[in-house]
Amino acid sequence: MDQGVHLLAYTERLGGDLAGIRELLADGPLSVFSGIHLLPFFVPFDGADAGFDPVDHATVDPRLGSWADIRALADAGVQVTADLIVNHVSADSAEFTDWLARGAESPSDGMFLTFDTVFPDGAREADITSFYRPRLGLPFTPYQRADGERRLVWTTFMPSQIDLDVHHPAAQDYLRRILRTLHEGGVSTVRLDAVGYAVKTPGTDSFMTEHTLEFVREITALARAEGLTVLVEVHAHHTQQAAIAPLVDLVYDFALPPLLLHALDTGEAGRLAHWLDIRPANAVTVLDTHDGIGVIDAGPSGQRPGLLDQAEMAAIFDRAAQLTGGQSAQASAQVAWAALPHQINSTFFSVLGEDATAYLLARCVQLFVPGRPQLYYVGLLAGTNDMARYAATGQGREVNRHVYDPAELAAALDGEVTRAQLGLVGLRSRHPAFAGEFAARQTGPSQLELTWRNGADTAVLTVDVAVPAFTVQVQDADGSVRRYDSVAELAALA
């Protein structure tokens, strides 16, 4: 795995359009990033689920640009990641509307998951309520076809997001077509969005089962056949992440953010140190994303103990609410059958009470652990909670999806916390030590030491989560040593 750092962003909310993104990354202020995950840029990018409900998954929304713009970004040396929305299509898609109009005569007949597909012999209440769903309510929506027949269609996320029967030939042909389009358009890594929900198996909760893992093997093979690297997106128990990691090229380390929050809140580094010993190495590391800050990934699941227990998870939510003045509690929705919300809807900077030192400590840890570091654009720009967007949309995740106009972007890029992060990104991307061997050790109850060594080149991070404090020390092959232990000193690197 190369040592580059990637950005995660909505095209329109950061650069305005794809040409603006290329200007920022190819030779602009964000050229230190080696790649970018462009959140859905398909038609339309601004649907009910912010692009994750495309009507046309194979076409770039012309308001943002075209496939030529994606290829130009790739030709400029920027690795592009894009989403394959595996679980569903839009109710307004050509495939679904054709099935509603023509039924069995449609080429899309069988492509969509109905109640009868999963329960051909009917189902009891217990069968239906056993399914895990990341939203309130049940995962079905009634639709009426043109011939008057009413069908109960699976809609795991929203009523307008129609689940695919991923084992049906029509659905598989659809997924192959999208994968081929992505590769031909200049995409190098495909993220399998919501794949954990894609296979429904009666008698289970249908989330990350053995049948799900088998489908992950199948869709990964299809993606690799098109020349794509595969990143899987699953919020799940840490053992389930470990199980899926060998099947794909990349997984997310969603346990790292809550463990960092726990450590900074309690002043205890033991749980974090333990995770650094057992985590998958082929991970994309994050602090926050467009979906908020995952917490359940570090917690228990059923009879399986977590890296944190239920009370410790609850304490993270409580501390976040305290430091955000109640904003995170207001914006974080509790899902069906769950004791706690699925994630914290807040920016990471806000959750830390806008403490720049604690924030850079967390960012240092993220950029030092093995894997592919990925910075979310709002996090890079030290964004705080956008409660106006939340009030306007009613969507909790919008607190962490700010739209930056050019003036705001320029001001944010000039901010000390942003420049400090850019300095860290440059160090992680360019220093030879990060191409070597990694080691981590706990040096005290609240202290960790993370080391990269490549011959005479070394990079050492020491953190004390109780203070909080951090020191980054790098040594070059010529013996020269540099030390950074403040936000200002890291900012001077940018």
Side-chain angles (χ1 to χ4, degrees):
M1 187 179 298
D2 69 68
Q3 65 185 75
V5 180
H6 288 216
L7 188 66
L8 170 66
Y10 290 97
T11 299
E12 73 285 359
R13 302 185 189 211
L14 178 65
D17 56 19
L18 288 166
I21 291 290
R22 183 178 182 277
E23 185 177 339
L24 288 169
L25 270 80
D27 50 16
L30 302 183
S31 59
V32 69
F33 289 96
S34 62
I36 184 169
H37 178 175
L38 292 170
L39 289 161
F41 46 81
F42 315 109
V43 177
F45 69 82
D46 54 357
D49 195 20
F52 284 93
D53 51 346
V55 172
D56 184 351
H57 200 335
T59 301
V60 176
D61 193 309
R63 292 172 292 173
L64 301 178
S66 68
W67 283 114
D69 292 296
I70 303 289
R71 287 190 289 270
L73 193 59
D75 291 343
V78 179
Q79 300 173 51
V80 179
T81 299
D83 288 279
L84 176 69
I85 300 166
V86 176
N87 184 73
H88 54 263
V89 301
S90 169
D92 293 325
S93 66
E95 293 83 4
F96 188 66
T97 55
D98 187 70
W99 179 69
L100 289 180
R102 297 200 288 156
E105 300 301 315
S106 170
S108 300
D109 186 48
M111 178 174 167
F112 309 107
L113 208 59
T114 65
F115 183 91
D116 287 350
T117 310
V118 179
F119 297 113
D121 301 318
R124 299 170 302 142
E125 180 179 339
D127 297 322
I128 297 169
T129 57
S130 67
F131 285 92
Y132 176 72
R133 183 177 188 240
R135 299 287 190 274
L136 295 172
L138 296 174
F140 309 109
T141 302
Y143 277 87
Q144 183 167 303
R145 297 201 314 218
D147 61 4
E149 183 180 6
R150 298 175 182 175
R151 301 301 303 271
L152 200 57
V153 180
W154 282 75
T155 51
T156 296
F157 293 94
M158 298 174 66
S160 59
Q161 292 170 306
I162 312 301
D163 287 20
L164 295 169
D165 181 353
V166 294
H167 293 120
H168 193 276
Q172 293 180 346
D173 287 346
Y174 165 82
L175 293 171
R176 284 192 192 94
R177 176 169 61 87
I178 303 305
L179 287 167
R180 187 170 302 116
T181 299
L182 292 172
H183 175 66
E184 292 173 351
V187 172
S188 57
T189 298
V190 62
R191 186 184 82 141
L192 305 181
D193 174 68
V195 72
Y197 304 91
V199 180
K200 283 72 173 176
T201 305
T204 74
D205 66 2
S206 291
F207 180 74
M208 287 296 297
T209 67
E210 60 184 270
H211 303 284
T212 311
L213 294 180
E214 182 55 37
F215 173 66
V216 169
R217 292 186 184 92
E218 295 169 5
I219 193 68
T220 297
L222 293 180
R224 287 174 173 168
E226 297 296 338
L228 292 159
T229 297
V230 177
L231 163 64
V232 68
E233 184 259 348
V234 175
H235 281 282
H237 191 262
H238 69 277
T239 58
Q240 292 173 299
Q241 291 282 19
I244 206 169
L247 309 183
V248 296
D249 300 299
L250 294 163
V251 294
Y252 282 99
D253 184 351
F254 285 133
L256 184 63
L259 289 169
L260 277 165
L261 292 176
H262 170 77
L264 287 165
D265 181 26
T266 63
E268 298 174 359
R271 307 300 182 84
L272 181 56
H274 172 63
W275 177 238
L276 296 182
D277 285 338
I278 66 171
R279 61 184 290 277
N282 61 328
V284 170
T285 63
V286 297
L287 293 185
D288 56 353
T289 74
H290 60 292
D291 281 336
I293 306 165
V295 176
I296 63 166
D297 307 86
S301 177
Q303 299 304 310
R304 291 172 294 189
L307 302 164
L308 300 172
D309 63 32
Q310 196 75 8
E312 289 166 329
M313 289 170 61
I316 292 174
F317 281 97
D318 291 344
R319 181 64 171 165
Q322 177 186 345
L323 291 176
T324 61
Q327 292 175 349
S328 65
Q330 184 181 350
S332 302
Q334 197 155 317
V335 306
W337 329 123
L340 292 169
H342 192 69
Q343 71 258 322
I344 302 172
N345 284 333
S346 174
T347 75
F348 209 89
F349 193 45
S350 290
V351 156
L352 291 179
E354 302 176 36
D355 182 329
T357 299
Y359 189 60
L360 263 296
L361 184 156
R363 191 66 80 190
C364 284
V365 173
Q366 181 206 352
L367 267 67
F368 261 74
V369 298
R372 177 190 287 182
Q374 182 187 83
L375 275 65
Y376 183 52
Y377 77 109
V378 177
L380 171 66
L381 300 173
T384 56
N385 288 336
D386 189 340
M387 297 304 287
R389 284 199 65 82
Y390 170 57
T393 64
Q395 298 293 322
R397 290 177 294 178
E398 288 293 318
V399 301
N400 193 26
R401 295 177 175 181
H402 186 69
V403 179
Y404 286 85
D405 63 35
E408 278 184 299
L409 178 58
L413 287 169
D414 193 45
E416 185 175 69
V417 175
T418 296
R419 288 186 288 109
Q421 292 177 86
L422 290 173
L424 267 176
V425 170
L427 186 67
R428 174 68 165 79
S429 301
R430 297 166 183 158
H431 198 276
F434 291 98
E437 298 296 321
F438 173 78
R441 66 190 184 104
Q442 185 174 359
T443 57
S446 63
Q447 298 162 334
L448 293 174
E449 181 182 272
L450 311 183
T451 301
W452 284 90
R453 189 178 304 278
N454 185 9
D457 291 292
T458 61
V460 181
L461 169 67
T462 57
V463 301
D464 189 326
V465 295
V467 177
F470 65 85
T471 297
V472 176
Q473 182 170 299
V474 294
Q475 179 173 316
D476 299 333
D478 63 6
S480 60
V481 176
R482 290 165 286 151
R483 179 185 172 100
Y484 312 94
D485 53 15
S486 71
V487 176
E489 288 174 348
L490 287 175
L493 284 171

